[in-house]
Amino acid sequence: GESVGLHLPTLSVQEGDNSIINCAYSNSASDYFIWYKQESGKGPQFIIDIRSNMDKRQGQRVTVLLNKTVKHLSLQIAATQPGDSAVYFCAEKKNYGGSQGNLIFGKGTKLSVKP
Amino acid sequence: DAGVTQSPTHLIKTRGQQVTLRCSPKSGHDTVSWYQQALGQGPQFIFQYYEEEERQRGNFPDRFSGHQFPNYSSELNVNALLLGDSALYLCASSYERYTDTQYFGPGTRLTVL
């Protein structure tokens, strides 16, 4: 079936370095993508989202890139901090209009930041 | 501005029992979605409620049912609990007319013994 997947299950970076977390999606009908951060014992926290009519979107220290040609999504975190250590999920959704529609999640990438 | 809240935080049940989990959406939100997250996995969609009706459902058996109240809060009910139902149950809310973005609550950790 169609699904969202991640290339790397774990990522270890040095504090201050930039982090890049990758995600592949296979549903060509998906037109909304979102990144969540989940710390241990907590619910997923919204980081940034992007629609399929864009290829880049920036937030505070984060950038999401969307390559529809190869169905690839990435999350870039600048100047990674220890507080960024968590599991990161990408998710996709088909736009039915409004908020209808479920998010399809990948398995997640664990980011570990070394001080 | 209160975010999504869920209760209880933790719950322990035995096989065959029934459980009810509760969710209050973020202020201004009218749509509630429920997800099940097994340990080490991404959340899996159970169903979504809008205007007090189940609008969309994932691949979960009828043992999983829900309800949405006029104040947009929601309940998730699971009957005849199985060991495999042990998971973190997440509620997410969104605003139908404005955004696709779903905001999650802290979850309820259900353990079935």
Side-chain angles (χ1 to χ4, degrees):
Chain A
E2 297 180 336
S3 64
V4 173
L6 295 174
H7 295 306
L8 299 173
T10 60
L11 178 64
S12 183
V13 301
Q14 202 70 37
E15 181 179 359
D17 287 351
N18 296 335
S19 303
I20 299 176
I21 301 172
N22 296 303
C23 177
Y25 68 94
S26 57
N27 188 346
S28 57
S30 293
D31 55 6
Y32 175 74
F33 305 89
I34 187 167
W35 282 98
Y36 287 97
K37 170 187 179 183
Q38 187 173 28
E39 297 174 281
S40 181
K42 298 183 178 180
Q45 176 187 354
F46 169 80
I47 301 174
I48 192 167
D49 58 2
I50 189 169
R51 297 190 183 280
S52 58
N53 60 352
M54 303 172 68
D55 53 20
K56 180 179 180 179
R57 192 174 187 206
Q58 290 183 293
Q60 187 176 10
R61 281 202 307 119
V62 294
T63 300
V64 56
L65 299 177
L66 176 62
N67 186 330
K68 296 181 285 295
T69 302
V70 295
K71 297 179 183 174
H72 185 266
L73 193 69
S74 69
L75 176 70
Q76 300 178 1
I77 304 174
T80 313
Q81 303 169 359
D84 295 327
S85 295
V87 176
Y88 289 80
F89 291 97
C90 66
E92 63 178 308
K93 187 164 86 75
K94 180 179 177 181
N95 186 16
Y96 294 93
S99 61
Q100 182 178 359
N102 58 291
L103 294 170
I104 301 171
F105 285 82
K107 290 187 177 181
T109 292
K110 182 177 181 180
L111 176 65
S112 295
V113 182
K114 296 176 290 185
Chain B
D1 179 20
V4 181
T5 60
Q6 292 186 244
S7 63
T9 305
H10 296 87
L11 205 52
I12 299 175
K13 293 286 188 178
T14 57
R15 283 179 296 176
Q17 285 189 311
Q18 178 266 341
V19 67
T20 297
L21 310 181
R22 296 174 176 82
C23 170
S24 291
K26 185 177 171 67
S27 178
H29 286 185
D30 57 7
T31 303
V32 173
S33 303
W34 286 93
Y35 293 80
Q36 179 195 67
Q37 186 177 25
L39 200 61
Q41 302 293 318
Q44 297 289 314
F45 175 72
I46 303 175
F47 42 53
Q48 184 180 76
Y49 275 85
Y50 173 66
E51 293 188 338
E52 302 179 48
E53 292 190 355
E54 181 182 296
R55 174 162 68 177
Q56 191 169 356
R57 188 179 184 93
N59 188 26
F60 279 81
D62 292 343
R63 298 187 297 108
F64 289 77
S65 64
H67 189 77
Q68 186 179 34
F69 299 93
N71 66 353
Y72 307 120
S73 67
S74 177
E75 289 183 347
L76 164 65
N77 301 292
V78 187
N79 294 322
L81 284 167
L82 303 174
L83 295 179
D85 294 331
S86 295
L88 180 68
Y89 288 85
L90 295 162
C91 169
S93 74
S94 52
Y95 181 40
E96 166 66 17
R97 291 190 174 185
Y98 184 71
T99 180
D100 294 85
T101 309
Q102 296 183 16
Y103 294 88
F104 284 84
T108 294
R109 172 68 64 186
L110 172 64
T111 302
V112 182
L113 302 176

Short mmCIF file of all heavy atoms in Angstrom, two decimals, chain A residues 22-76:
data_model
loop_
_atom_site.label_atom_id
_atom_site.label_comp_id
_atom_site.label_asym_id
_atom_site.label_seq_id
_atom_site.Cartn_x
_atom_site.Cartn_y
_atom_site.Cartn_z
N ASN A 22 15.28 12.99 6.49
CA ASN A 22 14.66 12.73 5.20
C ASN A 22 13.43 11.85 5.31
O ASN A 22 13.27 11.08 6.24
CB ASN A 22 15.67 12.07 4.26
CG ASN A 22 16.83 12.97 3.94
OD1 ASN A 22 16.64 14.08 3.44
ND2 ASN A 22 18.03 12.53 4.25
N CYS A 23 12.58 11.97 4.31
CA CYS A 23 11.33 11.22 4.28
C CYS A 23 10.92 11.00 2.84
O CYS A 23 11.01 11.92 2.02
CB CYS A 23 10.27 12.01 5.05
SG CYS A 23 8.63 11.30 5.05
N ALA A 24 10.48 9.78 2.52
CA ALA A 24 9.97 9.48 1.19
C ALA A 24 8.48 9.20 1.30
O ALA A 24 8.03 8.58 2.25
CB ALA A 24 10.68 8.27 0.61
N TYR A 25 7.74 9.67 0.34
CA TYR A 25 6.31 9.36 0.32
C TYR A 25 5.98 8.75 -1.03
O TYR A 25 6.68 8.98 -2.02
CB TYR A 25 5.46 10.60 0.61
CG TYR A 25 5.49 11.67 -0.46
CD1 TYR A 25 4.53 11.72 -1.45
CD2 TYR A 25 6.48 12.65 -0.45
CE1 TYR A 25 4.55 12.71 -2.43
CE2 TYR A 25 6.51 13.63 -1.42
CZ TYR A 25 5.55 13.66 -2.41
OH TYR A 25 5.58 14.64 -3.37
N SER A 26 4.92 7.98 -1.07
CA SER A 26 4.60 7.26 -2.30
C SER A 26 3.22 7.60 -2.85
O SER A 26 2.89 7.20 -3.97
CB SER A 26 4.69 5.76 -2.08
OG SER A 26 3.82 5.36 -1.03
N ASN A 27 2.40 8.33 -2.06
CA ASN A 27 1.05 8.64 -2.52
C ASN A 27 1.07 9.93 -3.31
O ASN A 27 1.17 11.02 -2.75
CB ASN A 27 0.11 8.75 -1.32
CG ASN A 27 -1.34 8.89 -1.74
OD1 ASN A 27 -1.64 9.16 -2.90
ND2 ASN A 27 -2.24 8.71 -0.80
N SER A 28 0.98 9.83 -4.61
CA SER A 28 1.04 11.02 -5.46
C SER A 28 -0.15 11.94 -5.27
O SER A 28 -0.13 13.10 -5.67
CB SER A 28 1.15 10.60 -6.93
OG SER A 28 0.05 9.78 -7.29
N ALA A 29 -1.23 11.42 -4.65
CA ALA A 29 -2.41 12.24 -4.41
C ALA A 29 -2.27 13.11 -3.17
O ALA A 29 -3.09 14.02 -2.95
CB ALA A 29 -3.65 11.36 -4.29
N SER A 30 -1.25 12.86 -2.36
CA SER A 30 -1.06 13.68 -1.15
C SER A 30 -0.60 15.07 -1.55
O SER A 30 0.24 15.24 -2.42
CB SER A 30 -0.01 13.03 -0.24
OG SER A 30 -0.50 11.81 0.28
N ASP A 31 -1.20 16.05 -0.90
CA ASP A 31 -0.81 17.42 -1.23
C ASP A 31 -0.57 18.28 0.00
O ASP A 31 -0.50 19.50 -0.09
CB ASP A 31 -1.86 18.07 -2.14
CG ASP A 31 -3.25 18.02 -1.55
OD1 ASP A 31 -3.38 17.59 -0.39
OD2 ASP A 31 -4.20 18.39 -2.24
N TYR A 32 -0.49 17.62 1.14
CA TYR A 32 -0.18 18.34 2.37
C TYR A 32 0.76 17.47 3.18
O TYR A 32 0.51 16.27 3.37
CB TYR A 32 -1.47 18.62 3.15
CG TYR A 32 -1.25 19.27 4.49
CD1 TYR A 32 -0.91 20.61 4.60
CD2 TYR A 32 -1.38 18.53 5.67
CE1 TYR A 32 -0.71 21.21 5.84
CE2 TYR A 32 -1.18 19.11 6.90
CZ TYR A 32 -0.84 20.44 6.98
OH TYR A 32 -0.65 21.03 8.20
N PHE A 33 1.83 18.09 3.67
CA PHE A 33 2.85 17.35 4.40
C PHE A 33 3.21 18.12 5.66
O PHE A 33 3.22 19.36 5.68
CB PHE A 33 4.10 17.17 3.52
CG PHE A 33 3.80 16.53 2.20
CD1 PHE A 33 3.45 17.30 1.12
CD2 PHE A 33 3.85 15.14 2.06
CE1 PHE A 33 3.14 16.72 -0.10
CE2 PHE A 33 3.55 14.55 0.85
CZ PHE A 33 3.19 15.34 -0.24
N ILE A 34 3.53 17.35 6.70
CA ILE A 34 3.74 18.00 8.00
C ILE A 34 4.81 17.25 8.78
O ILE A 34 4.94 16.02 8.65
CB ILE A 34 2.41 18.06 8.77
CG1 ILE A 34 2.52 18.88 10.04
CG2 ILE A 34 1.85 16.67 9.05
CD1 ILE A 34 1.15 19.21 10.65
N TRP A 35 5.60 17.98 9.54
CA TRP A 35 6.61 17.40 10.41
C TRP A 35 6.20 17.61 11.86
O TRP A 35 5.78 18.69 12.25
CB TRP A 35 7.96 18.05 10.17
CG TRP A 35 8.68 17.57 8.94
CD1 TRP A 35 8.71 18.17 7.72
CD2 TRP A 35 9.48 16.38 8.83
NE1 TRP A 35 9.47 17.44 6.85
CE2 TRP A 35 9.95 16.33 7.50
CE3 TRP A 35 9.84 15.36 9.71
CZ2 TRP A 35 10.78 15.30 7.04
CZ3 TRP A 35 10.65 14.33 9.25
CH2 TRP A 35 11.10 14.31 7.93
N TYR A 36 6.37 16.52 12.63
CA TYR A 36 6.11 16.57 14.06
C TYR A 36 7.36 16.14 14.82
O TYR A 36 8.13 15.30 14.35
CB TYR A 36 4.97 15.63 14.46
CG TYR A 36 3.59 16.07 14.05
CD1 TYR A 36 3.01 15.57 12.89
CD2 TYR A 36 2.87 16.96 14.84
CE1 TYR A 36 1.73 15.96 12.52
CE2 TYR A 36 1.59 17.35 14.47
CZ TYR A 36 1.02 16.84 13.32
OH TYR A 36 -0.24 17.22 12.95
N LYS A 37 7.52 16.69 16.01
CA LYS A 37 8.56 16.29 16.94
C LYS A 37 7.87 15.63 18.13
O LYS A 37 6.91 16.17 18.68
CB LYS A 37 9.33 17.53 17.41
CG LYS A 37 10.29 17.31 18.56
CD LYS A 37 10.85 18.65 19.05
CE LYS A 37 11.79 18.48 20.22
NZ LYS A 37 12.28 19.81 20.74
N GLN A 38 8.37 14.47 18.52
CA GLN A 38 7.78 13.79 19.66
C GLN A 38 8.85 13.44 20.69
O GLN A 38 9.74 12.63 20.42
CB GLN A 38 7.02 12.53 19.24
CG GLN A 38 6.24 11.89 20.39
CD GLN A 38 5.36 10.75 19.94
OE1 GLN A 38 5.64 10.08 18.95
NE2 GLN A 38 4.25 10.51 20.65
N GLU A 39 8.74 14.04 21.84
CA GLU A 39 9.64 13.73 22.94
C GLU A 39 9.06 12.56 23.73
O GLU A 39 7.87 12.29 23.68
CB GLU A 39 9.82 14.96 23.82
CG GLU A 39 10.47 16.13 23.09
CD GLU A 39 10.53 17.38 23.92
OE1 GLU A 39 9.49 18.07 24.01
OE2 GLU A 39 11.60 17.70 24.46
N SER A 40 9.94 11.90 24.45
CA SER A 40 9.55 10.70 25.17
C SER A 40 8.38 10.97 26.12
O SER A 40 8.42 11.90 26.91
CB SER A 40 10.75 10.16 25.96
OG SER A 40 10.41 8.99 26.65
N GLY A 41 7.32 10.17 25.99
CA GLY A 41 6.18 10.28 26.88
C GLY A 41 5.22 11.42 26.55
O GLY A 41 4.29 11.69 27.32
N LYS A 42 5.43 12.08 25.42
CA LYS A 42 4.58 13.20 25.05
C LYS A 42 3.92 12.97 23.70
O LYS A 42 4.30 12.08 22.94
CB LYS A 42 5.39 14.50 25.01
CG LYS A 42 5.99 14.89 26.36
CD LYS A 42 6.72 16.22 26.26
CE LYS A 42 7.28 16.63 27.61
NZ LYS A 42 8.00 17.94 27.53
N GLY A 43 2.92 13.79 23.40
CA GLY A 43 2.29 13.72 22.10
C GLY A 43 3.11 14.44 21.05
O GLY A 43 3.99 15.25 21.37
N PRO A 44 2.87 14.17 19.77
CA PRO A 44 3.59 14.84 18.70
C PRO A 44 3.34 16.35 18.72
O PRO A 44 2.22 16.80 18.91
CB PRO A 44 3.00 14.21 17.44
CG PRO A 44 2.46 12.89 17.88
CD PRO A 44 1.96 13.12 19.26
N GLN A 45 4.40 17.10 18.52
CA GLN A 45 4.34 18.56 18.52
C GLN A 45 4.57 19.08 17.11
O GLN A 45 5.56 18.73 16.47
CB GLN A 45 5.41 19.11 19.47
CG GLN A 45 5.52 20.62 19.51
CD GLN A 45 6.71 21.08 20.34
OE1 GLN A 45 7.39 20.28 20.98
NE2 GLN A 45 6.99 22.37 20.32
N PHE A 46 3.66 19.91 16.64
CA PHE A 46 3.76 20.48 15.29
C PHE A 46 5.06 21.29 15.15
O PHE A 46 5.41 22.10 16.00
CB PHE A 46 2.55 21.37 15.03
CG PHE A 46 2.66 22.21 13.79
CD1 PHE A 46 2.40 21.67 12.55
CD2 PHE A 46 3.03 23.55 13.87
CE1 PHE A 46 2.49 22.43 11.41
CE2 PHE A 46 3.12 24.33 12.73
CZ PHE A 46 2.85 23.77 11.50
N ILE A 47 5.76 21.04 14.03
CA ILE A 47 6.96 21.81 13.74
C ILE A 47 6.71 22.74 12.57
O ILE A 47 6.83 23.96 12.67
CB ILE A 47 8.16 20.90 13.41
CG1 ILE A 47 8.46 19.95 14.57
CG2 ILE A 47 9.39 21.74 13.08
CD1 ILE A 47 9.54 18.92 14.24
N ILE A 48 6.38 22.15 11.42
CA ILE A 48 6.21 22.94 10.21
C ILE A 48 5.44 22.10 9.20
O ILE A 48 5.49 20.86 9.24
CB ILE A 48 7.58 23.37 9.64
CG1 ILE A 48 7.43 24.43 8.56
CG2 ILE A 48 8.39 22.17 9.15
CD1 ILE A 48 8.75 25.11 8.18
N ASP A 49 4.73 22.77 8.31
CA ASP A 49 4.00 22.05 7.27
C ASP A 49 4.25 22.70 5.92
O ASP A 49 4.79 23.81 5.83
CB ASP A 49 2.51 21.97 7.58
CG ASP A 49 1.86 23.34 7.76
OD1 ASP A 49 2.56 24.37 7.60
OD2 ASP A 49 0.65 23.39 8.06
N ILE A 50 3.84 22.00 4.87
CA ILE A 50 4.03 22.53 3.52
C ILE A 50 2.98 21.91 2.60
O ILE A 50 2.62 20.74 2.76
CB ILE A 50 5.46 22.24 3.00
CG1 ILE A 50 5.72 22.97 1.70
CG2 ILE A 50 5.71 20.74 2.86
CD1 ILE A 50 7.20 22.96 1.28
N ARG A 51 2.51 22.70 1.68
CA ARG A 51 1.55 22.19 0.70
C ARG A 51 2.29 21.88 -0.60
O ARG A 51 3.38 22.37 -0.85
CB ARG A 51 0.45 23.22 0.46
CG ARG A 51 -0.35 23.49 1.71
CD ARG A 51 -1.59 24.31 1.44
NE ARG A 51 -2.28 24.60 2.69
CZ ARG A 51 -3.07 23.74 3.29
NH1 ARG A 51 -3.29 22.55 2.76
NH2 ARG A 51 -3.68 24.06 4.43
N SER A 52 1.64 21.11 -1.44
CA SER A 52 2.31 20.61 -2.63
C SER A 52 2.55 21.69 -3.68
O SER A 52 3.29 21.46 -4.65
CB SER A 52 1.52 19.46 -3.26
OG SER A 52 0.21 19.89 -3.58
N ASN A 53 1.96 22.87 -3.51
CA ASN A 53 2.21 23.94 -4.46
C ASN A 53 3.45 24.76 -4.10
O ASN A 53 3.75 25.77 -4.72
CB ASN A 53 1.00 24.87 -4.57
CG ASN A 53 0.64 25.53 -3.27
OD1 ASN A 53 1.20 25.20 -2.22
ND2 ASN A 53 -0.29 26.46 -3.31
N MET A 54 4.16 24.29 -3.06
CA MET A 54 5.40 24.93 -2.63
C MET A 54 6.51 23.89 -2.65
O MET A 54 6.27 22.69 -2.58
CB MET A 54 5.25 25.49 -1.21
CG MET A 54 4.13 26.48 -1.04
SD MET A 54 3.88 26.92 0.69
CE MET A 54 5.39 27.82 1.02
N ASP A 55 7.77 24.36 -2.74
CA ASP A 55 8.88 23.42 -2.63
C ASP A 55 9.77 23.72 -1.44
O ASP A 55 10.68 22.95 -1.12
CB ASP A 55 9.70 23.37 -3.92
CG ASP A 55 10.16 24.75 -4.35
OD1 ASP A 55 10.19 25.68 -3.52
OD2 ASP A 55 10.50 24.91 -5.55
N LYS A 56 9.52 24.81 -0.77
CA LYS A 56 10.33 25.17 0.40
C LYS A 56 9.51 26.06 1.32
O LYS A 56 8.76 26.93 0.86
CB LYS A 56 11.59 25.89 -0.05
CG LYS A 56 12.52 26.32 1.07
CD LYS A 56 13.76 27.02 0.50
CE LYS A 56 14.72 27.46 1.60
NZ LYS A 56 15.93 28.12 1.03
N ARG A 57 9.72 25.82 2.61
CA ARG A 57 9.08 26.68 3.59
C ARG A 57 9.99 26.77 4.80
O ARG A 57 10.54 25.76 5.25
CB ARG A 57 7.71 26.15 3.99
CG ARG A 57 6.89 27.15 4.78
CD ARG A 57 5.48 26.68 5.04
NE ARG A 57 4.70 27.75 5.65
CZ ARG A 57 3.65 27.55 6.43
NH1 ARG A 57 3.25 26.32 6.69
NH2 ARG A 57 3.01 28.58 6.94
N GLN A 58 10.13 27.98 5.33
CA GLN A 58 11.04 28.18 6.46
C GLN A 58 10.29 28.60 7.70
O GLN A 58 9.32 29.34 7.65
CB GLN A 58 12.09 29.23 6.09
CG GLN A 58 13.09 28.75 5.06
CD GLN A 58 14.17 29.78 4.78
OE1 GLN A 58 13.88 30.83 4.24
NE2 GLN A 58 15.40 29.46 5.14
N GLY A 59 10.78 28.09 8.83
CA GLY A 59 10.27 28.51 10.12
C GLY A 59 11.44 28.98 10.96
O GLY A 59 12.52 29.30 10.44
N GLN A 60 11.26 28.97 12.26
CA GLN A 60 12.34 29.36 13.14
C GLN A 60 13.32 28.21 13.28
O GLN A 60 13.02 27.19 13.86
CB GLN A 60 11.79 29.74 14.51
CG GLN A 60 12.83 30.33 15.45
CD GLN A 60 12.23 30.78 16.76
OE1 GLN A 60 11.08 30.49 17.05
NE2 GLN A 60 13.00 31.48 17.56
N ARG A 61 14.48 28.33 12.71
CA ARG A 61 15.57 27.34 12.72
C ARG A 61 15.23 26.07 11.93
O ARG A 61 16.03 25.14 11.87
CB ARG A 61 15.97 26.91 14.15
CG ARG A 61 16.85 27.84 14.89
CD ARG A 61 17.61 27.18 16.02
NE ARG A 61 16.75 26.44 16.93
CZ ARG A 61 16.85 25.13 17.14
NH1 ARG A 61 17.74 24.40 16.49
NH2 ARG A 61 16.03 24.54 18.00
N VAL A 62 14.07 26.00 11.35
CA VAL A 62 13.70 24.82 10.57
C VAL A 62 13.29 25.20 9.16
O VAL A 62 12.73 26.27 8.93
CB VAL A 62 12.56 24.02 11.24
CG1 VAL A 62 13.02 23.42 12.56
CG2 VAL A 62 11.32 24.87 11.42
N THR A 63 13.59 24.28 8.23
CA THR A 63 13.21 24.45 6.84
C THR A 63 12.71 23.11 6.34
O THR A 63 13.33 22.07 6.60
CB THR A 63 14.42 24.89 5.98
OG1 THR A 63 14.92 26.14 6.47
CG2 THR A 63 14.01 25.05 4.52
N VAL A 64 11.60 23.13 5.64
CA VAL A 64 11.10 21.92 5.01
C VAL A 64 11.24 22.08 3.50
O VAL A 64 10.91 23.12 2.94
CB VAL A 64 9.64 21.60 5.42
CG1 VAL A 64 8.71 22.76 5.13
CG2 VAL A 64 9.16 20.34 4.73
N LEU A 65 11.76 21.04 2.87
CA LEU A 65 11.92 21.01 1.43
C LEU A 65 11.06 19.88 0.86
O LEU A 65 11.04 18.78 1.40
CB LEU A 65 13.39 20.79 1.05
CG LEU A 65 14.38 21.85 1.53
CD1 LEU A 65 15.80 21.45 1.12
CD2 LEU A 65 14.05 23.22 0.95
N LEU A 66 10.39 20.18 -0.23
CA LEU A 66 9.53 19.19 -0.87
C LEU A 66 9.96 19.03 -2.33
O LEU A 66 9.98 20.01 -3.09
CB LEU A 66 8.07 19.62 -0.80
CG LEU A 66 7.04 18.74 -1.52
CD1 LEU A 66 7.01 17.34 -0.92
CD2 LEU A 66 5.66 19.39 -1.47
N ASN A 67 10.28 17.82 -2.70
CA ASN A 67 10.65 17.51 -4.09
C ASN A 67 9.60 16.54 -4.62
O ASN A 67 9.66 15.33 -4.37
CB ASN A 67 12.04 16.89 -4.14
CG ASN A 67 12.52 16.69 -5.57
OD1 ASN A 67 11.72 16.48 -6.48
ND2 ASN A 67 13.82 16.75 -5.77
N LYS A 68 8.66 17.07 -5.35
CA LYS A 68 7.55 16.24 -5.83
C LYS A 68 7.98 15.29 -6.94
O LYS A 68 7.38 14.27 -7.17
CB LYS A 68 6.40 17.14 -6.29
CG LYS A 68 5.79 17.95 -5.16
CD LYS A 68 4.64 18.80 -5.64
CE LYS A 68 5.13 20.01 -6.43
NZ LYS A 68 5.92 20.96 -5.60
N THR A 69 9.04 15.65 -7.64
CA THR A 69 9.52 14.81 -8.75
C THR A 69 9.94 13.44 -8.25
O THR A 69 9.64 12.42 -8.86
CB THR A 69 10.69 15.49 -9.46
OG1 THR A 69 10.27 16.76 -9.94
CG2 THR A 69 11.17 14.63 -10.62
N VAL A 70 10.65 13.44 -7.11
CA VAL A 70 11.12 12.17 -6.55
C VAL A 70 10.36 11.79 -5.29
O VAL A 70 10.75 10.86 -4.59
CB VAL A 70 12.64 12.21 -6.27
CG1 VAL A 70 13.41 12.36 -7.57
CG2 VAL A 70 12.99 13.36 -5.32
N LYS A 71 9.32 12.55 -4.99
CA LYS A 71 8.48 12.26 -3.83
C LYS A 71 9.30 12.19 -2.55
O LYS A 71 9.28 11.20 -1.81
CB LYS A 71 7.69 10.97 -4.05
CG LYS A 71 6.72 11.07 -5.21
CD LYS A 71 5.97 9.77 -5.41
CE LYS A 71 5.06 9.89 -6.62
NZ LYS A 71 4.42 8.58 -6.95
N HIS A 72 9.99 13.27 -2.28
CA HIS A 72 10.90 13.33 -1.14
C HIS A 72 10.66 14.59 -0.33
O HIS A 72 10.42 15.68 -0.89
CB HIS A 72 12.35 13.30 -1.66
CG HIS A 72 13.37 13.25 -0.58
ND1 HIS A 72 13.96 14.39 -0.08
CD2 HIS A 72 13.91 12.21 0.10
CE1 HIS A 72 14.82 14.05 0.87
NE2 HIS A 72 14.81 12.75 0.99
N LEU A 73 10.74 14.43 0.96
CA LEU A 73 10.51 15.51 1.91
C LEU A 73 11.69 15.53 2.87
O LEU A 73 12.17 14.46 3.28
CB LEU A 73 9.22 15.22 2.67
CG LEU A 73 8.54 16.27 3.52
CD1 LEU A 73 7.97 17.37 2.65
CD2 LEU A 73 7.43 15.62 4.33
N SER A 74 12.15 16.70 3.24
CA SER A 74 13.22 16.76 4.23
C SER A 74 12.97 17.88 5.22
O SER A 74 12.31 18.87 4.91
CB SER A 74 14.58 16.95 3.56
OG SER A 74 14.69 18.23 2.99
N LEU A 75 13.50 17.68 6.42
CA LEU A 75 13.44 18.68 7.48
C LEU A 75 14.87 19.06 7.84
O LEU A 75 15.66 18.18 8.17
CB LEU A 75 12.72 18.13 8.71
CG LEU A 75 12.68 19.06 9.93
CD1 LEU A 75 11.76 20.25 9.66
CD2 LEU A 75 12.23 18.30 11.18
N GLN A 76 15.17 20.33 7.74
CA GLN A 76 16.49 20.81 8.11
C GLN A 76 16.38 21.62 9.39
O GLN A 76 15.53 22.51 9.48
CB GLN A 76 17.08 21.66 6.98
CG GLN A 76 17.23 20.91 5.67
CD GLN A 76 17.77 21.79 4.56
OE1 GLN A 76 18.06 22.96 4.76
NE2 GLN A 76 17.91 21.21 3.38
#
